[in-house]
Amino acid sequence: MSALFSNFAVEMKKKLFIFLYVCLTLPLMAQTDIPAEGSLPWPQSLQARIDTILTTPLLETTQLGLMVYDLTADSTLYTYGHRQRLRPASTMKVVTAVAALDRLGGDYQLKTSLYYTGTISGRTLRGNLHVVGGMDPMYDRSDMIAFVNKMRHLGIDTICGSILVDLSFKDDDRLGEGWCWDDDNPVLTPLLYDSKDCFVEQLTRELQRDGVVIIETSYRAPLSSRRLITTRSHSVGEVLVRMMKESDNLYAESLFYHLGRTNGNKSATGKTAASQVRQMIQKVGLQPGDYRVADGSGLSLYNYVSAELEVAMLRYAWQHADLFRQLNIVLPVAGVDGTLKNRMKSTPAERNVHAKTGSVSGISSLAGFCTAPNGHVLCFAIINQGVSRMSDGRGLQDQLCVAMCSE
Protein backbone atom coordinates (compact mmCIF):
# COMPACT_ATOMS: atom_id res chain seq x y z
CA MET A 1 0.00 0.00 0.00
CA SER A 2 2.86 2.34 0.84
CA ALA A 3 4.50 1.54 -2.52
CA LEU A 4 1.29 2.42 -4.33
CA PHE A 5 1.05 5.69 -2.47
CA SER A 6 4.71 6.43 -3.26
CA ASN A 7 4.15 5.88 -7.03
CA PHE A 8 1.08 8.09 -6.91
CA ALA A 9 3.09 10.91 -5.26
CA VAL A 10 5.80 10.66 -7.95
CA GLU A 11 3.22 10.88 -10.74
CA MET A 12 1.60 13.89 -9.11
CA LYS A 13 4.96 15.63 -8.83
CA LYS A 14 5.59 15.03 -12.55
CA LYS A 15 2.21 16.43 -13.52
CA LEU A 16 2.70 19.45 -11.25
CA PHE A 17 6.10 20.08 -12.83
CA ILE A 18 4.61 19.90 -16.37
CA PHE A 19 1.75 22.20 -15.36
CA LEU A 20 4.11 24.82 -13.91
CA TYR A 21 6.41 24.59 -16.97
CA VAL A 22 3.54 25.18 -19.38
CA CYS A 23 2.19 28.10 -17.33
CA LEU A 24 5.56 29.78 -17.26
CA THR A 25 6.63 29.19 -20.87
CA LEU A 26 3.39 29.70 -22.83
CA PRO A 27 3.40 33.51 -22.45
CA LEU A 28 7.00 33.56 -23.64
CA MET A 29 6.15 31.34 -26.61
CA ALA A 30 3.23 33.58 -27.52
CA GLN A 31 5.46 36.63 -27.50
CA THR A 32 8.12 34.88 -29.58
CA ASP A 33 6.02 33.00 -32.14
CA ILE A 34 3.14 35.45 -32.62
CA PRO A 35 4.68 38.92 -32.53
CA ALA A 36 2.55 42.04 -32.44
CA GLU A 37 1.94 43.80 -35.77
CA GLY A 38 4.34 46.61 -34.91
CA SER A 39 7.22 44.16 -34.41
CA LEU A 40 6.69 42.25 -37.67
CA PRO A 41 9.43 42.65 -40.27
CA TRP A 42 8.63 44.59 -43.41
CA PRO A 43 6.81 43.60 -45.69
CA GLN A 44 4.83 41.35 -43.35
CA SER A 45 3.85 44.36 -41.26
CA LEU A 46 2.49 46.11 -44.37
CA GLN A 47 0.54 43.02 -45.36
CA ALA A 48 -0.92 42.79 -41.86
CA ARG A 49 -1.99 46.44 -41.96
CA ILE A 50 -3.67 45.98 -45.34
CA ASP A 51 -5.43 42.86 -44.05
CA THR A 52 -6.86 44.97 -41.23
CA ILE A 53 -7.91 47.80 -43.56
CA LEU A 54 -9.74 45.36 -45.84
CA THR A 55 -12.02 44.22 -43.03
CA THR A 56 -14.02 47.37 -43.82
CA PRO A 57 -17.77 46.87 -44.31
CA LEU A 58 -17.37 48.75 -47.60
CA LEU A 59 -16.22 45.52 -49.26
CA GLU A 60 -19.44 43.78 -48.34
CA THR A 61 -21.24 45.84 -51.00
CA THR A 62 -18.50 46.83 -53.45
CA GLN A 63 -15.86 45.18 -55.63
CA LEU A 64 -12.18 45.87 -55.08
CA GLY A 65 -9.21 45.31 -57.34
CA LEU A 66 -5.93 45.94 -55.47
CA MET A 67 -2.31 45.24 -56.27
CA VAL A 68 0.84 46.52 -54.56
CA TYR A 69 4.20 45.79 -56.17
CA ASP A 70 7.72 46.33 -54.79
CA LEU A 71 9.64 47.75 -57.76
CA THR A 72 12.96 47.75 -55.92
CA ALA A 73 12.72 44.08 -54.96
CA ASP A 74 10.80 43.19 -58.14
CA SER A 75 8.16 41.26 -56.23
CA THR A 76 4.43 41.36 -55.54
CA LEU A 77 3.57 42.57 -52.03
CA TYR A 78 -0.21 42.28 -51.94
CA THR A 79 -3.14 41.36 -54.15
CA TYR A 80 -6.89 41.35 -53.69
CA GLY A 81 -9.11 40.82 -56.71
CA HIS A 82 -6.26 42.17 -58.82
CA ARG A 83 -7.41 40.33 -61.96
CA GLN A 84 -11.05 41.36 -61.79
CA ARG A 85 -12.10 43.35 -64.84
CA LEU A 86 -13.40 46.67 -63.54
CA ARG A 87 -14.13 50.12 -64.91
CA PRO A 88 -11.04 52.22 -64.16
CA ALA A 89 -12.49 55.77 -64.35
CA SER A 90 -9.64 58.27 -64.86
CA THR A 91 -6.88 55.86 -63.88
CA MET A 92 -7.35 54.82 -67.52
CA LYS A 93 -5.22 57.91 -68.18
CA VAL A 94 -2.24 56.01 -66.72
CA VAL A 95 -2.61 53.43 -69.49
CA THR A 96 -2.95 56.18 -72.12
CA ALA A 97 0.01 58.15 -70.76
CA VAL A 98 2.38 55.17 -70.70
CA ALA A 99 1.30 54.16 -74.22
CA ALA A 100 1.76 57.74 -75.51
CA LEU A 101 5.20 58.15 -73.93
CA ASP A 102 6.33 54.76 -75.22
CA ARG A 103 4.88 54.88 -78.72
CA LEU A 104 5.00 58.62 -79.47
CA GLY A 105 7.64 59.96 -77.06
CA GLY A 106 7.53 63.02 -74.84
CA ASP A 107 8.82 65.34 -77.59
CA TYR A 108 6.19 64.35 -80.16
CA GLN A 109 4.32 67.47 -81.34
CA LEU A 110 0.56 68.07 -81.63
CA LYS A 111 0.30 70.62 -84.44
CA THR A 112 -2.15 73.16 -85.83
CA SER A 113 -1.06 74.69 -89.15
CA LEU A 114 -2.16 77.70 -91.23
CA TYR A 115 -1.74 77.73 -95.02
CA TYR A 116 -2.94 79.82 -97.92
CA THR A 117 -3.73 79.11 -101.55
CA GLY A 118 -3.92 81.68 -104.32
CA THR A 119 -1.84 84.80 -104.72
CA ILE A 120 -0.99 87.83 -102.63
CA SER A 121 -1.32 90.99 -104.71
CA GLY A 122 -0.53 94.22 -102.93
CA ARG A 123 -2.15 93.71 -99.53
CA THR A 124 -4.86 91.38 -100.78
CA LEU A 125 -4.92 87.61 -100.65
CA ARG A 126 -6.94 86.37 -103.59
CA GLY A 127 -7.43 82.87 -102.33
CA ASN A 128 -8.26 80.90 -99.22
CA LEU A 129 -6.83 80.37 -95.78
CA HIS A 130 -6.53 76.68 -94.88
CA VAL A 131 -6.33 75.53 -91.27
CA VAL A 132 -5.19 71.95 -90.66
CA GLY A 133 -6.24 70.61 -87.29
CA GLY A 134 -4.01 68.25 -85.34
CA MET A 135 -6.20 67.87 -82.24
CA ASP A 136 -4.00 70.04 -80.03
CA PRO A 137 -5.97 70.71 -76.81
CA MET A 138 -3.48 73.38 -75.70
CA TYR A 139 -4.04 75.73 -78.65
CA ASP A 140 -5.15 79.03 -77.08
CA ARG A 141 -5.32 82.79 -77.69
CA SER A 142 -1.53 83.18 -77.68
CA ASP A 143 -1.36 80.70 -80.56
CA MET A 144 -4.19 82.46 -82.38
CA ILE A 145 -2.44 85.82 -82.03
CA ALA A 146 0.69 84.20 -83.49
CA PHE A 147 -1.41 83.16 -86.52
CA VAL A 148 -2.71 86.71 -86.93
CA ASN A 149 0.76 88.22 -86.54
CA LYS A 150 2.10 86.00 -89.32
CA MET A 151 -0.68 87.27 -91.57
CA ARG A 152 0.35 90.82 -90.75
CA HIS A 153 3.98 90.04 -91.61
CA LEU A 154 2.78 88.92 -95.03
CA GLY A 155 1.20 92.36 -95.43
CA ILE A 156 -2.35 91.03 -95.87
CA ASP A 157 -5.24 93.27 -94.88
CA THR A 158 -7.90 91.86 -97.22
CA ILE A 159 -8.91 88.27 -97.96
CA CYS A 160 -10.97 87.59 -101.06
CA GLY A 161 -11.80 83.99 -100.38
CA SER A 162 -12.76 81.77 -97.47
CA ILE A 163 -11.38 80.17 -94.34
CA LEU A 164 -11.35 76.43 -94.95
CA VAL A 165 -10.63 73.72 -92.42
CA ASP A 166 -9.00 70.32 -92.80
CA LEU A 167 -10.46 67.89 -90.26
CA SER A 168 -9.00 64.74 -91.80
CA PHE A 169 -6.87 64.05 -88.72
CA LYS A 170 -9.63 61.85 -87.28
CA ASP A 171 -13.06 60.44 -88.01
CA ASP A 172 -16.30 62.40 -87.68
CA ASP A 173 -17.24 61.03 -84.24
CA ARG A 174 -17.52 63.87 -81.76
CA LEU A 175 -18.13 61.67 -78.70
CA GLY A 176 -16.23 58.64 -77.47
CA GLU A 177 -17.58 55.09 -77.51
CA GLY A 178 -19.71 54.39 -74.46
CA TRP A 179 -19.91 58.01 -73.27
CA CYS A 180 -23.09 59.05 -71.45
CA TRP A 181 -25.01 61.59 -73.51
CA ASP A 182 -25.89 63.70 -70.45
CA ASP A 183 -22.31 64.06 -69.13
CA ASP A 184 -20.23 67.19 -69.63
CA ASN A 185 -18.24 65.56 -72.42
CA PRO A 186 -15.48 67.22 -74.45
CA VAL A 187 -16.06 67.54 -78.20
CA LEU A 188 -13.63 65.38 -80.14
CA THR A 189 -12.80 67.70 -83.02
CA PRO A 190 -9.34 67.93 -84.60
CA LEU A 191 -9.50 71.74 -84.59
CA LEU A 192 -9.59 73.22 -81.12
CA TYR A 193 -9.44 76.67 -79.60
CA ASP A 194 -9.20 76.84 -75.80
CA SER A 195 -10.38 73.21 -75.80
CA LYS A 196 -13.59 74.21 -77.62
CA ASP A 197 -15.04 73.67 -81.09
CA CYS A 198 -15.03 77.35 -82.12
CA PHE A 199 -11.78 77.75 -84.06
CA VAL A 200 -13.02 79.44 -87.25
CA GLU A 201 -15.21 81.90 -85.37
CA GLN A 202 -12.28 82.92 -83.16
CA LEU A 203 -9.82 83.20 -86.06
CA THR A 204 -12.30 85.39 -87.95
CA ARG A 205 -12.80 87.57 -84.88
CA GLU A 206 -9.06 88.03 -84.28
CA LEU A 207 -8.35 88.81 -87.93
CA GLN A 208 -11.10 91.43 -88.00
CA ARG A 209 -9.84 92.89 -84.72
CA ASP A 210 -6.45 93.26 -86.39
CA GLY A 211 -8.03 95.16 -89.29
CA VAL A 212 -8.21 92.33 -91.83
CA VAL A 213 -11.29 92.50 -94.08
CA ILE A 214 -12.69 89.15 -95.22
CA ILE A 215 -14.71 89.28 -98.45
CA GLU A 216 -16.33 85.85 -98.82
CA THR A 217 -15.85 84.65 -102.38
CA SER A 218 -15.59 81.27 -104.01
CA TYR A 219 -12.01 80.39 -104.80
CA ARG A 220 -10.80 76.96 -105.82
CA ALA A 221 -7.23 75.74 -105.89
CA PRO A 222 -5.63 72.31 -105.48
CA LEU A 223 -4.44 71.52 -101.96
CA SER A 224 -1.04 70.72 -103.42
CA SER A 225 -0.60 74.42 -104.14
CA ARG A 226 -1.10 75.61 -100.58
CA ARG A 227 1.77 77.36 -98.86
CA LEU A 228 2.56 77.22 -95.17
CA ILE A 229 2.12 80.44 -93.20
CA THR A 230 2.91 79.06 -89.74
CA THR A 231 2.49 76.11 -87.37
CA ARG A 232 1.84 76.14 -83.64
CA SER A 233 2.47 73.02 -81.60
CA HIS A 234 2.75 71.52 -78.12
CA SER A 235 4.53 68.36 -77.03
CA VAL A 236 3.18 65.19 -75.45
CA GLY A 237 5.13 66.14 -72.32
CA GLU A 238 3.29 69.47 -72.10
CA VAL A 239 -0.11 67.88 -72.72
CA LEU A 240 0.50 65.31 -70.00
CA VAL A 241 0.76 67.94 -67.26
CA ARG A 242 -2.88 69.04 -67.37
CA MET A 243 -4.07 65.61 -68.46
CA MET A 244 -2.69 63.99 -65.32
CA LYS A 245 -2.60 66.75 -62.71
CA GLU A 246 -6.12 68.03 -63.42
CA SER A 247 -7.50 64.86 -65.04
CA ASP A 248 -8.48 66.68 -68.23
CA ASN A 249 -10.47 64.29 -70.42
CA LEU A 250 -9.99 66.16 -73.70
CA TYR A 251 -6.22 66.15 -73.26
CA ALA A 252 -6.32 62.38 -72.74
CA GLU A 253 -8.50 61.84 -75.79
CA SER A 254 -6.15 63.97 -77.89
CA LEU A 255 -3.24 61.67 -77.07
CA PHE A 256 -5.47 58.64 -77.58
CA TYR A 257 -6.28 59.74 -81.14
CA HIS A 258 -2.66 60.62 -81.84
CA LEU A 259 -1.87 57.02 -80.95
CA GLY A 260 -4.49 56.10 -83.54
CA ARG A 261 -2.52 57.92 -86.23
CA THR A 262 0.58 55.77 -85.80
CA ASN A 263 1.42 52.85 -88.08
CA GLY A 264 0.63 54.94 -91.14
CA ASN A 265 -3.07 55.53 -90.43
CA LYS A 266 -4.12 58.64 -92.35
CA SER A 267 -7.13 59.27 -90.14
CA ALA A 268 -7.44 58.24 -86.51
CA THR A 269 -10.47 56.42 -85.16
CA GLY A 270 -11.36 55.09 -81.75
CA LYS A 271 -10.60 51.60 -83.06
CA THR A 272 -7.13 52.45 -84.41
CA ALA A 273 -6.30 54.18 -81.13
CA ALA A 274 -7.54 51.24 -79.05
CA SER A 275 -5.48 48.91 -81.26
CA GLN A 276 -2.30 50.77 -80.27
CA VAL A 277 -3.19 50.51 -76.58
CA ARG A 278 -3.81 46.79 -77.00
CA GLN A 279 -0.35 46.45 -78.53
CA MET A 280 1.02 48.20 -75.46
CA ILE A 281 -0.84 45.76 -73.19
CA GLN A 282 0.82 42.89 -75.01
CA LYS A 283 4.18 44.64 -74.70
CA VAL A 284 3.92 44.73 -70.89
CA GLY A 285 3.28 40.98 -70.84
CA LEU A 286 -0.50 40.64 -70.58
CA GLN A 287 -3.17 39.42 -72.99
CA PRO A 288 -5.03 42.25 -74.78
CA GLY A 289 -8.08 40.03 -75.25
CA ASP A 290 -8.59 39.96 -71.47
CA TYR A 291 -9.47 43.67 -71.42
CA ARG A 292 -11.75 46.20 -73.13
CA VAL A 293 -10.30 49.54 -74.27
CA ALA A 294 -12.89 52.06 -75.46
CA ASP A 295 -11.32 55.48 -74.90
CA GLY A 296 -8.24 57.21 -73.48
CA SER A 297 -9.78 59.18 -70.63
CA GLY A 298 -11.83 56.64 -68.68
CA LEU A 299 -15.17 58.32 -69.40
CA SER A 300 -16.51 55.33 -71.29
CA LEU A 301 -18.80 52.79 -69.67
CA TYR A 302 -17.17 50.17 -71.90
CA ASN A 303 -13.63 50.28 -70.49
CA TYR A 304 -12.74 47.18 -68.49
CA VAL A 305 -9.23 46.74 -67.11
CA SER A 306 -7.70 45.36 -63.91
CA ALA A 307 -5.44 46.51 -61.10
CA GLU A 308 -2.92 44.01 -62.45
CA LEU A 309 -2.90 45.76 -65.84
CA GLU A 310 -2.41 49.21 -64.34
CA VAL A 311 0.45 47.91 -62.19
CA ALA A 312 2.00 46.30 -65.28
CA MET A 313 1.94 49.71 -67.01
CA LEU A 314 3.52 51.40 -63.98
CA ARG A 315 6.17 48.66 -63.78
CA TYR A 316 6.99 49.17 -67.47
CA ALA A 317 7.41 52.89 -66.84
CA TRP A 318 9.72 52.21 -63.90
CA GLN A 319 11.85 49.87 -66.02
CA HIS A 320 12.45 52.67 -68.56
CA ALA A 321 14.09 55.52 -66.70
CA ASP A 322 13.26 58.36 -69.09
CA LEU A 323 9.64 57.25 -69.38
CA PHE A 324 9.35 56.99 -65.58
CA ARG A 325 10.81 60.47 -65.14
CA GLN A 326 8.29 61.99 -67.54
CA LEU A 327 5.36 60.12 -66.01
CA ASN A 328 6.19 60.59 -62.34
CA ILE A 329 6.63 64.35 -62.68
CA VAL A 330 3.11 64.87 -64.04
CA LEU A 331 1.27 62.68 -61.52
CA PRO A 332 -0.64 64.51 -58.76
CA VAL A 333 1.28 64.60 -55.47
CA ALA A 334 -0.58 63.85 -52.24
CA GLY A 335 -1.24 66.99 -50.21
CA VAL A 336 0.54 69.17 -52.79
CA ASP A 337 -1.13 69.58 -56.17
CA GLY A 338 -3.58 68.41 -58.79
CA THR A 339 -6.46 66.16 -57.82
CA LEU A 340 -4.56 65.00 -54.70
CA LYS A 341 -3.93 68.51 -53.37
CA ASN A 342 -6.29 68.16 -50.41
CA ARG A 343 -5.75 64.48 -49.62
CA MET A 344 -3.47 62.63 -47.17
CA LYS A 345 -2.27 65.86 -45.55
CA SER A 346 -0.28 65.50 -42.31
CA THR A 347 0.29 61.78 -42.92
CA PRO A 348 3.37 59.81 -44.04
CA ALA A 349 1.78 59.72 -47.51
CA GLU A 350 1.90 63.51 -47.94
CA ARG A 351 4.46 64.50 -50.61
CA ASN A 352 5.25 60.79 -50.98
CA VAL A 353 2.39 59.38 -53.05
CA HIS A 354 2.44 60.34 -56.76
CA ALA A 355 -0.74 58.93 -58.26
CA LYS A 356 -3.59 59.36 -60.74
CA THR A 357 -7.06 59.60 -59.29
CA GLY A 358 -10.26 58.35 -60.89
CA SER A 359 -13.94 58.92 -60.20
CA VAL A 360 -17.08 58.44 -62.23
CA SER A 361 -20.49 57.35 -61.00
CA GLY A 362 -19.97 54.21 -58.90
CA ILE A 363 -16.19 54.06 -59.42
CA SER A 364 -13.33 55.37 -57.28
CA SER A 365 -9.74 54.54 -58.17
CA LEU A 366 -6.11 55.47 -57.61
CA ALA A 367 -2.89 54.27 -59.26
CA GLY A 368 0.69 55.40 -58.92
CA PHE A 369 3.94 55.29 -56.94
CA CYS A 370 5.20 55.82 -53.41
CA THR A 371 8.32 55.11 -51.36
CA ALA A 372 8.15 52.72 -48.39
CA PRO A 373 9.96 53.46 -45.11
CA ASN A 374 12.75 51.03 -46.07
CA GLY A 375 13.47 53.08 -49.19
CA HIS A 376 11.85 50.65 -51.62
CA VAL A 377 9.80 52.22 -54.43
CA LEU A 378 6.33 50.72 -54.71
CA CYS A 379 3.66 50.97 -57.37
CA PHE A 380 0.01 50.23 -56.76
CA ALA A 381 -3.45 50.24 -58.31
CA ILE A 382 -6.74 50.45 -56.40
CA ILE A 383 -10.05 50.18 -58.26
CA ASN A 384 -13.23 50.21 -56.16
CA GLN A 385 -16.44 49.57 -58.11
CA GLY A 386 -19.98 49.92 -56.83
CA VAL A 387 -19.32 52.75 -54.37
CA SER A 388 -22.32 54.97 -53.65
CA ARG A 389 -20.25 57.72 -52.02
CA MET A 390 -16.94 58.83 -53.52
CA SER A 391 -15.70 59.76 -50.04
CA ASP A 392 -15.85 56.08 -49.04
CA GLY A 393 -13.66 55.04 -51.95
CA ARG A 394 -11.19 57.88 -51.40
CA GLY A 395 -11.04 57.07 -47.69
CA LEU A 396 -10.10 53.45 -48.41
CA GLN A 397 -7.41 54.57 -50.88
CA ASP A 398 -5.96 57.05 -48.39
CA GLN A 399 -5.75 54.39 -45.67
CA LEU A 400 -3.96 52.02 -48.01
CA CYS A 401 -1.50 54.71 -49.11
CA VAL A 402 -0.74 55.70 -45.53
CA ALA A 403 -0.11 52.02 -44.73
CA MET A 404 2.36 51.74 -47.63
CA CYS A 405 4.23 54.84 -46.47
CA SER A 406 4.30 54.10 -42.72
CA GLU A 407 6.86 52.39 -40.49
Side-chain angles (χ1 to χ4, degrees):
M1 187 72 177
S2 61
L4 181 64
F5 179 80
S6 177
N7 289 338
F8 175 77
V10 170
E11 288 300 320
M12 288 300 295
K13 285 180 181 179
K14 288 181 179 179
K15 289 179 180 180
L16 179 61
F17 176 78
I18 293 170
F19 174 76
L20 291 173
Y21 175 81
V22 170
C23 289
L24 290 171
T25 58
L26 266 179
L28 295 174
M29 290 171 64
Q31 292 175 19
T32 303
D33 297 341
I34 311 173
E37 181 183 307
S39 64
L40 283 170
W42 195 92
Q44 286 83 1
S45 61
L46 170 60
Q47 293 161 348
R49 282 196 294 270
I50 295 178
D51 283 341
T52 301
I53 292 168
L54 297 190
T55 60
T56 173
L58 180 65
L59 298 189
E60 295 175 9
T61 56
T62 67
Q63 294 172 272
L64 177 67
L66 167 65
M67 187 170 187
V68 182
Y69 197 89
D70 186 334
L71 293 163
T72 305
D74 195 20
S75 63
T76 301
L77 287 178
Y78 200 97
T79 60
Y80 182 102
H82 63 300
R83 289 180 176 156
Q84 289 191 83
R85 286 185 286 270
L86 304 169
R87 289 170 52 205
S90 281
T91 55
M92 189 70 188
K93 293 182 176 72
V94 169
V95 178
T96 304
V98 173
L101 285 169
D102 184 71
R103 304 188 77 78
L104 301 174
D107 294 330
Y108 173 93
Q109 300 293 310
L110 289 71
K111 301 176 181 178
T112 306
S113 299
L114 181 65
Y115 297 82
Y116 76 90
T117 53
T119 58
I120 300 172
S121 178
R123 300 180 66 83
T124 300
L125 168 62
R126 300 186 184 281
N128 300 319
L129 290 181
H130 290 255
V131 187
V132 179
M135 206 167 182
D136 178 3
M138 294 187 68
Y139 188 101
D140 60 12
R141 190 163 189 269
S142 65
D143 298 300
M144 189 68 80
I145 294 303
F147 270 22
V148 173
N149 287 342
K150 285 292 185 179
M151 294 284 291
R152 184 189 301 132
H153 292 159
L154 289 174
I156 298 170
D157 64 13
T158 304
I159 298 173
C160 291
S162 302
I163 299 176
L164 305 178
V165 296
D166 182 341
L167 304 179
S168 62
F169 175 88
K170 67 175 293 292
D171 59 17
D172 294 332
D173 292 340
R174 292 297 181 261
L175 294 176
E177 182 187 14
W179 287 10
C180 293
W181 64 269
D182 56 348
D183 278 349
D184 184 18
N185 296 313
V187 178
L188 303 180
T189 175
L191 198 52
L192 296 158
Y193 173 76
D194 272 346
S195 297
K196 299 180 181 65
D197 185 15
C198 60
F199 191 99
V200 174
E201 297 91 328
Q202 190 63 31
L203 177 57
T204 301
R205 189 176 298 117
E206 293 294 346
L207 286 170
Q208 291 174 341
R209 185 176 291 159
D210 199 55
V212 176
V213 176
I214 301 175
I215 303 171
E216 285 282 346
T217 60
S218 177
Y219 178 87
R220 295 185 179 182
L223 289 178
S224 59
S225 68
R226 66 188 185 187
R227 300 177 184 178
L228 180 65
I229 297 175
T230 189
T231 294
R232 299 290 288 183
S233 64
H234 298 92
S235 69
V236 165
E238 292 175 294
V239 171
L240 281 173
V241 176
R242 182 174 175 85
M243 169 182 159
M244 302 300 275
K245 293 284 188 185
E246 304 302 327
S247 200
D248 192 293
N249 294 319
L250 177 60
Y251 280 50
E253 294 303 328
S254 294
L255 292 190
F256 186 64
Y257 278 92
H258 275 272
L259 283 168
R261 289 266 292 190
T262 57
N263 285 359
N265 294 314
K266 293 182 179 179
S267 182
T269 67
K271 289 183 178 180
T272 61
S275 174
Q276 293 302 305
V277 176
R278 285 195 294 271
Q279 289 184 38
M280 190 69 207
I281 291 172
Q282 188 168 31
K283 191 172 184 178
V284 301
L286 298 176
Q287 294 300 316
D290 291 342
Y291 310 99
R292 180 78 160 81
V293 177
D295 69 10
S297 63
L299 277 174
S300 177
L301 299 174
Y302 301 160
N303 287 312
Y304 277 95
V305 302
S306 66
E308 181 181 45
L309 170 58
E310 291 187 343
V311 162
M313 289 289 180
L314 294 168
R315 285 179 61 199
Y316 182 86
W318 167 259
Q319 291 161 357
H320 297 79
D322 189 53
L323 198 161
F324 173 72
R325 177 186 60 79
Q326 293 179 83
L327 176 64
N328 196 46
I329 200 171
V330 298
L331 288 168
V333 181
V336 176
D337 64 14
T339 54
L340 285 179
K341 184 176 183 178
N342 298 315
R343 290 175 58 180
M344 305 178 222
K345 284 183 173 291
S346 302
T347 73
E350 183 177 9
R351 296 182 179 276
N352 186 336
V353 170
H354 292 226
K356 181 72 199 73
T357 57
S359 60
V360 294
S361 181
I363 309 292
S364 184
S365 54
L366 188 70
F369 303 96
C370 66
T371 302
N374 65 350
H376 286 208
V377 178
L378 314 181
C379 68
F380 62 89
I382 309 163
I383 306 174
N384 198 190
Q385 182 168 285
V387 293
S388 57
R389 294 181 300 182
M390 290 299 107
S391 59
D392 290 340
R394 289 193 291 267
L396 176 62
Q397 295 154 20
D398 291 356
Q399 288 182 65
L400 290 168
C401 285
V402 170
M404 285 184 270
C405 299
S406 298
E407 292 285 355

